[in-house]
């Protein structure tokens, strides 16, 4: 047994220190970042925010994200037909997700070749590929990443999840352009509770981005951001991109119907004449169902129930319905612009250089 005694930090353990700034307007802040990828040698400019390949990984989400020059990792339970009915402008902002199964990889190849035939893609490398499994620490996984890289030399490839620098390096050397970082921080995740395994996400970001940048590659920080401020901290900790699920849940564009129920408020109703107590006022509350991709709910919805040797490491919960996702995006982008003016950064790219983190014991804000 080894005990590492150095404290690892989460978003709530730090604040960004305000600094003297010459920036005059938030409008001039550059949200786009330009990337040149290590293996696929692609250059692109995007606002580096990806909607997670959960029920937030939908084509409806991609329509809105495309307008904002952001990306959506489409969840892997869409049928090939879903892909074929999409507009070319939307497809440019979609990332295809597979796990480590040969069948999923075969379907990916079929979908790509049909999209090429339909002239929606020039080449399969026009679409990003995300190889996503819960535990990226096995040799089998890095071998799989290597194989996919050999067969797809020009495709922008994201692989994960891991949360420590040596494994980030291993996956990059196996062929990943970006490594997805995060074990256990997700809003619908119970890994830390079920297994005791995890790594505080801010420290994971600082350590893993350093490892990736040393090899001219990058990281996608995945999970655990619950406010625009957390996202500002993630970019300040040198995340190249962020992947977010929970913050985009409860929106129109998240998969799943809007449900409603009657709930009691704490407003007391009284008879206007007699002043007699009539009860509490009721209101209609709208909500959507939000679930982790390894939850029993997801397994039952998308597969044939849980395999008996596998414990569910995801939860299902009801989240308030909050309307169009564009409102959430505006809130996030507004927060990032404002953070830039506080720390003296002209764009997302400068966040890492400009940021000084303060370790704090308590944040006094409630969101
Ligand atoms: P969020 O932004 O909601 O905090 O985190 C999103 C991330 O949570 C996803 O991109 C994915 O990496 C992770 N995730 C999604 N479903 C599950 C699950 O069922 N279990 C675990 N451990 N993580 C999940």
């Amino acid at each position: 047994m080894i005990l590492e005694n150095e404290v690892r930090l989460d978003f709530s353990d730090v604040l960004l220190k305000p600094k003297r700034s010459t920036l005059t307007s938030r409008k001039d802040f550059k949200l786009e970042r330009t990337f040149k990828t290590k293996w696929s040698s692609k250059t692109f400019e995007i606002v580096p925010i990806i909607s997670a390949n959960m029920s937030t990984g939908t084509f409806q989400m991609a329509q809105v994200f495309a307008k904002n020059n952001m990306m959506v990792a489409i969840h892997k339970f869409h049928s090939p037909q879903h892909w074929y009915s999409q507009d070319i402008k939307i497809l440019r902002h979609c990332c295809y997700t597979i796990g480590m199964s040969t069948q999923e990889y075969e379907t990916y190849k079929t979908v790509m070749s049909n999209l090429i035939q339909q002239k929606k893609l020039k080449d399969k490398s026009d679409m990003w590929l995300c190889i996503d499994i819960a535990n990226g620490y096995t040799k089998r996984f890095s071998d799989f990443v290597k194989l996919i890289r050999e067969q797809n030399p020009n495709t922008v490839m994201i692989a994960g999840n891991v949360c420590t620098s040596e494994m980030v390096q291993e996956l990059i050397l196996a062929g990943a352009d970006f490594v997805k970082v995060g074990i256990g921080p997700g809003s619908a995740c119970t890994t830390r509770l079920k297994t005791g395994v995890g790594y505080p996400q801010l420290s994971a970001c600082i350590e893993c981005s350093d490892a990736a940048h040393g090899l001219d590659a990058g990281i996608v920080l995945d999970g655990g951001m619950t406010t625009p401020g957390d996202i500002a901290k993630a970019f300040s900790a040198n995340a190249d991109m962020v992947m977010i699920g929970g913050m985009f849940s409860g929106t129109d564009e998240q998969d799943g119907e809007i449900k409603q129920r009657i709930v009691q408020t704490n407003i007391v109703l009284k008879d206007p004449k007699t002043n007699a107590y009539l009860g509490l006022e009721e209101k209609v509350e709208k909500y959507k169902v939000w679930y982790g991709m390894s939850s029993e709910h997801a397994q039952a919805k998308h597969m044939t129930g849980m395999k008996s040797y596998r414990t569910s490491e995801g939860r299902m919960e009801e989240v308030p319905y909050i309307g169009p996702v564009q409102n959430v995006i505006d809130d996030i982008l507004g927060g990032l612009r404002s953070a830039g003016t506080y720390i003296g950064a002209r764009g997302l790219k400068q966040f890492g250089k400009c940021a000084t983190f303060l370790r704090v014991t308590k944040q006094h804000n409630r969101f």
Side-chain angles (χ1 to χ4, degrees):
M1 188 280 289
I2 294 174
L3 171 66
E4 290 187 18
N5 220 354
E6 190 190 324
V7 177
R8 303 310 204 280
L9 303 170
D10 227 315
F11 299 115
S12 58
D13 298 318
V14 296
L15 286 170
L16 289 164
K17 186 176 176 181
K19 291 183 184 166
R20 193 178 149 274
S21 159
T22 51
L23 293 181
T24 44
S25 161
R26 289 177 194 186
K27 277 205 310 262
D28 303 331
F29 182 82
K30 190 163 164 58
L31 288 161
E32 284 85 9
R33 280 205 55 187
T34 304
F35 295 97
K36 182 160 186 335
T37 54
K38 179 181 175 76
W39 298 109
S40 50
S41 298
K42 290 264 195 291
T43 304
F44 52 85
E45 191 178 73
I46 56 163
V47 177
I49 298 176
I50 310 174
S51 184
N53 48 344
M54 306 169 69
S55 55
T56 42
T58 62
F59 290 107
Q60 295 94 298
M61 197 67 85
Q63 287 191 7
V64 184
F65 273 53
K67 286 186 198 137
N68 293 275
N69 197 15
M70 302 181 349
M71 300 293 292
V72 173
I74 300 294
H75 73 67
K76 61 185 185 183
F77 303 107
H78 285 93
S79 70
Q81 276 65 33
H82 268 110
W83 282 92
Y84 304 148
S85 60
Q86 303 306 321
D87 188 89
I88 192 164
K89 286 191 198 124
I90 307 294
L91 289 175
R92 269 194 219 128
H93 293 270
C94 294
C95 171
Y96 197 102
T97 306
I98 58 171
M100 221 187 349
S101 102
T102 321
Q103 194 206 328
E104 281 168 17
Y105 182 46
E106 289 306 316
T107 312
Y108 157 75
K109 286 196 278 189
T110 311
V111 171
M112 290 307 113
S113 65
N114 285 337
L115 288 175
I116 292 166
Q117 242 176 27
Q118 291 181 354
K119 303 207 179 323
K120 291 188 173 174
L121 298 181
K122 278 204 202 93
D123 184 86
K124 64 179 174 175
S125 73
D126 288 345
M127 170 118 14
W128 295 13
L129 179 63
C130 175
I131 314 174
D132 183 32
I133 64 166
N135 173 5
Y137 276 81
T138 61
K139 178 165 184 317
R140 214 182 125 220
F141 184 59
S142 35
D143 288 347
F144 186 72
V145 171
K146 199 165 175 210
L147 177 87
I148 304 290
R149 171 53 75 205
E150 277 162 14
Q151 299 183 1
N152 303 273
N154 305 316
T155 298
V156 175
M157 195 199 291
I158 302 172
N161 279 23
V162 296
C163 60
T164 48
S165 42
E166 79 284 359
M167 211 53 205
V168 166
Q169 287 170 336
E170 165 133 5
L171 292 177
I172 291 168
L173 295 176
D177 292 309
F178 296 93
V179 175
K180 207 146 70 75
V181 170
I183 299 277
S187 61
C189 167
T190 57
T191 297
R192 291 176 183 177
L193 301 175
K194 289 280 175 88
T195 68
V197 174
Y199 208 103
Q201 192 68 329
L202 183 84
S203 287
C205 186
I206 294 170
E207 294 168 27
C208 293
S209 59
D210 183 57
H213 296 162
L215 292 175
D216 286 329
I219 66 159
V220 175
L221 193 73
D222 177 20
M225 287 149 277
T226 58
T227 61
D230 288 346
I231 302 173
K233 291 173 190 174
F235 285 121
S236 300
N238 279 325
D240 299 275
M241 304 191 218
V242 294
M243 179 175 274
I244 295 168
M247 285 183 77
F248 300 133
S249 69
T251 58
D252 289 317
E253 293 78 2
Q254 183 214 327
D255 240 355
E257 61 193 282
I258 303 166
K259 301 187 174 189
Q260 56 183 51
R261 62 186 156 211
I262 308 288
V263 292
Q264 270 184 347
T265 66
N266 54 10
I267 299 169
V268 173
L269 294 175
K270 288 188 175 166
D271 186 307
K273 284 189 190 139
T274 63
N275 213 25
Y277 175 75
L278 297 176
L280 293 174
E281 192 173 287
E282 293 180 334
K283 67 168 186 182
V284 176
E285 190 177 78
K286 293 185 176 174
Y287 66 96
K288 289 187 100 166
V289 171
W290 173 239
Y291 55 92
M293 292 314 263
S294 81
S295 63
E296 282 174 35
H297 182 82
Q299 307 277 331
K301 187 174 161 115
H302 298 298
M303 298 176 214
T304 46
M306 293 285 296
K307 296 202 177 97
S308 58
Y309 62 85
R310 234 191 117 163
T311 147
S312 154
E313 284 169 21
R315 67 168 76 89
M316 194 262 278
E317 61 183 340
E318 288 157 2
V319 294
Y321 164 68
I322 54 170
V325 74
Q326 186 62 52
N327 295 343
V328 183
I329 295 174
D330 290 344
D331 205 31
I332 292 173
L333 301 185
L336 290 175
R337 283 194 191 94
S338 184
T341 58
Y342 273 116
I343 66 172
R346 290 182 182 280
L348 276 191
K349 189 174 170 7
Q350 285 87 36
F351 265 43
K353 237 186 251 159
C354 297
T356 300
F357 282 120
L358 303 174
R359 263 192 76 188
V360 294
T361 51
K362 191 166 183 191
Q363 299 198 25
H364 290 278
N365 292 337
R366 270 196 312 144
F367 212 61

